[in-house]
Amino acid sequence: MRLSRRVCFDVSMLSDELLSHEVLITWGTALAAFLAVAVHGIWSVTRNVITIAHEGGHALVAVLFGRRLSGIKLHSDTSGLTVSRGKPRGPGMVFTALAGYVAPSLLGFGAAVLITNEQIQLMLWISIGFLALMLVMIRNVFGVVSIIVTGAVFFFVSFYASGEVRDAAAYVFAWFLLLGGVRPVWELQVKRWRRQAPRSDADQLAWLTGVPALGWVVLFGVVSVAALVGGGALLLGRW
């Protein structure tokens, strides 16, 4: 009888420890990512990662549609520029322009899918490969530094960090992309209200398609929020 009680007590303690670890991983990493997006002083630095994903999205889609990628620039003010050559109008140009603002959110959702399928290492390797391919096309010093520093973090986490640290870092990364994909859409529309972004992606899409720029901003927002809800549900184990 005493042995039975002790076994039950040990199982209960183990369950509590596992629950605490799960709560720390899911909610703790979500909070860390939220602060990295919501606190302006931190966001002014971490936004560079979102810019990498944004410009990487432009570049990837441009190549997939057969456009010739000329180069990518990442700037210290967290802006960026991806230049590709091809037809000035048509589906290839439309999807290339569309890809930037939705890329971080879609990449975050993809990361959440891999994490919940216990493919964290694969997610890290894909990220390293993505950064390596971007590095080849970077055309300014700050961009090269940004890619190398970001890649070094992924490399260290992938090959040298403990399993617990690797898991936590992967969750933070996924949450950050999901949350960080939403804020730039709002910032874009604020700049448009103030007439500070006359050549934004949304305005270029309006010129290419005839659909008002606000409609494209709304589409960016819908995609980013949907990815956040879906990816968040996956990471929290609710889906």
Side-chain angles (χ1 to χ4, degrees):
M1 188 66 176
R2 291 179 180 175
L3 179 60
S4 177
R5 288 179 177 176
R6 182 173 181 178
V7 170
C8 290
F9 178 74
D10 289 344
V11 170
S12 176
M13 288 289 291
L14 180 60
S15 298
D16 290 341
E17 289 178 2
L18 291 174
L19 180 60
S20 298
H21 181 264
E22 182 179 351
V23 169
L24 177 62
I25 288 293
T26 54
W27 291 103
T29 55
L31 177 59
F34 176 78
L35 292 175
V37 173
V39 178
H40 179 73
I42 303 175
W43 175 242
S44 62
V45 176
T46 58
R47 197 185 193 282
N48 286 290
V49 177
I50 298 299
T51 303
I52 290 172
H54 179 115
E55 300 304 330
H58 283 312
L60 176 61
V61 173
V63 171
L64 290 177
F65 274 88
R67 297 181 62 81
R68 184 176 180 181
L69 190 61
S70 299
I72 303 170
K73 290 184 178 181
L74 306 171
H75 303 295
S76 58
D77 63 355
T78 73
S79 65
L81 176 67
T82 298
V83 178
S84 62
R85 296 180 180 180
K87 294 181 179 179
R89 303 183 78 96
M93 189 61 195
V94 171
F95 280 99
T96 297
L98 174 63
Y101 275 97
V102 300
S105 297
L106 295 180
L107 290 172
F109 182 80
V113 171
L114 290 174
I115 289 171
T116 52
N117 282 280
E118 300 182 355
Q119 296 296 325
I120 288 178
Q121 193 66 55
L122 177 60
M123 185 211 75
L124 294 171
W125 288 344
I126 290 174
S127 300
I128 293 171
F130 182 78
L131 291 168
L133 290 174
M134 280 193 69
L135 181 60
V136 176
M137 299 307 301
I138 295 295
R139 296 292 183 264
N140 66 324
V141 175
F142 183 83
V144 170
V145 173
S146 295
I147 295 292
I148 290 177
V149 170
T150 306
V153 172
F154 276 98
F155 186 85
F156 175 81
V157 170
S158 179
F159 292 99
Y160 295 103
S162 65
E164 292 79 5
V165 172
R166 184 176 64 245
D167 291 352
Y171 270 81
V172 169
F173 178 59
W175 277 118
F176 177 72
L177 287 176
L178 292 169
L179 292 165
V182 177
R183 179 167 176 174
V185 178
W186 170 254
E187 292 175 340
L188 168 63
Q189 187 53 34
V190 169
K191 287 183 178 180
R192 293 190 67 256
W193 281 330
R194 296 174 179 173
R195 301 184 184 277
Q196 296 176 343
R199 300 186 63 184
S200 70
D201 291 355
D203 292 283
Q204 290 184 44
L205 284 164
W207 179 78
L208 289 167
T209 65
V211 177
L214 180 60
W216 292 106
V217 176
V218 170
L219 178 60
F220 297 158
V222 169
V223 172
S224 62
V225 171
L228 173 59
V229 172
L234 286 171
L235 294 173
L236 294 173
R238 304 293 177 83
W239 194 12

